[in-house]
Amino acid sequence: MGEQVWIDAAAVALADLQPPHVERKRATILALVDAQLAGRPEQSVWGTPGVCNRGTYHLKWKFQPDFAAALATVSRLAREWRDTRALRALQGAAESLALAAPAAVAKAVCLMDSQDDRVALSAAFGILDRAGVETAGKSTMVGTVKHDVDINLSRLDDDELDALARIAGRLAGSAAGAGAAEVPKAAGALPGAVLPGL
């Protein structure tokens, strides 16, 4: 529901208020609805200029059919408008996240080649953690754990194999990949490869 639509519908409901004190009734309804939307207690309304006092509301007006109907209608319209705005905001946030996801993935992939082992490892685990249930468990690691990994290398190109060799070398404790073991480019898999420090 658009803002103008709910305002117009609320104006129609308020126009049905009967004399006497029509302006004061309108002001009281608007103050009560405003307090509801803001999460303020009803007591915050009674000192507001232009509204009735607490006794008039509780002893008279809330029992008058025109006042009760207008208050109920304006309250409903205002809640629907607020809920619609909240849903639109959530939808906009979800769309923004979806649009930012490719850039975030690209950044994480670049960070996997970082010279800082902690950054590279964090980026790798971040990618695995979000890639799906099949690729990685979503658990917190405590201490040092070694994982046996079966890696199928047949689909990797030379640049990917070189990057993997550099990362494996750094993870094995070599400085910036120097002295890293050659990764066999024609191998179909490396069964039981152990990556120390993982």
Side-chain angles (χ1 to χ4, degrees), residues 5-172:
V5 174
W6 96 263
I7 289 173
D8 291 345
V12 169
L14 292 171
D16 289 338
L17 290 170
Q18 301 298 311
H21 311 295
V22 172
E23 288 305 316
R24 189 170 290 271
K25 287 178 179 178
R26 281 188 191 130
T28 302
I29 288 171
L30 293 175
L32 287 167
V33 170
D34 181 58
Q36 289 171 4
L37 292 179
R40 293 191 319 267
E42 178 189 291
Q43 290 78 7
S44 67
V45 170
W46 306 129
T48 306
V51 305
C52 71
N53 63 45
R54 184 173 183 256
T56 299
Y57 171 72
H58 282 290
L59 297 175
K60 294 181 185 178
W61 287 2
K62 76 176 185 180
F63 300 110
Q64 294 175 355
D66 62 321
F67 184 90
L71 177 59
T73 299
V74 174
S75 294
R76 178 183 53 78
L77 291 168
R79 279 194 312 273
E80 289 173 1
W81 172 73
R82 179 196 58 197
D83 294 347
T84 300
R85 285 186 64 195
L87 290 172
R88 284 188 183 144
L90 287 174
Q91 181 182 20
E95 288 173 2
S96 295
L97 287 173
L99 291 172
V105 170
K107 181 70 171 178
V109 169
C110 288
L111 289 174
M112 281 179 35
D113 203 24
S114 171
Q115 295 300 315
D116 185 336
D117 292 343
R118 292 171 296 175
V119 171
L121 190 58
S122 178
F125 277 137
I127 290 169
L128 287 174
D129 190 43
R130 285 149 186 85
V133 176
E134 303 82 22
T135 56
K138 292 165 178 57
S139 61
T140 303
M141 293 180 53
V142 179
T144 300
V145 180
K146 294 187 179 193
H147 295 277
D148 288 336
V149 183
D150 289 331
I151 304 172
N152 186 341
L153 302 174
S154 63
R155 295 185 185 166
L156 300 179
D157 63 26
D158 289 348
D159 290 338
E160 292 169 326
L161 290 170
D162 290 341
L164 182 60
R166 285 194 308 276
I167 292 170
R170 284 200 310 270
L171 292 175

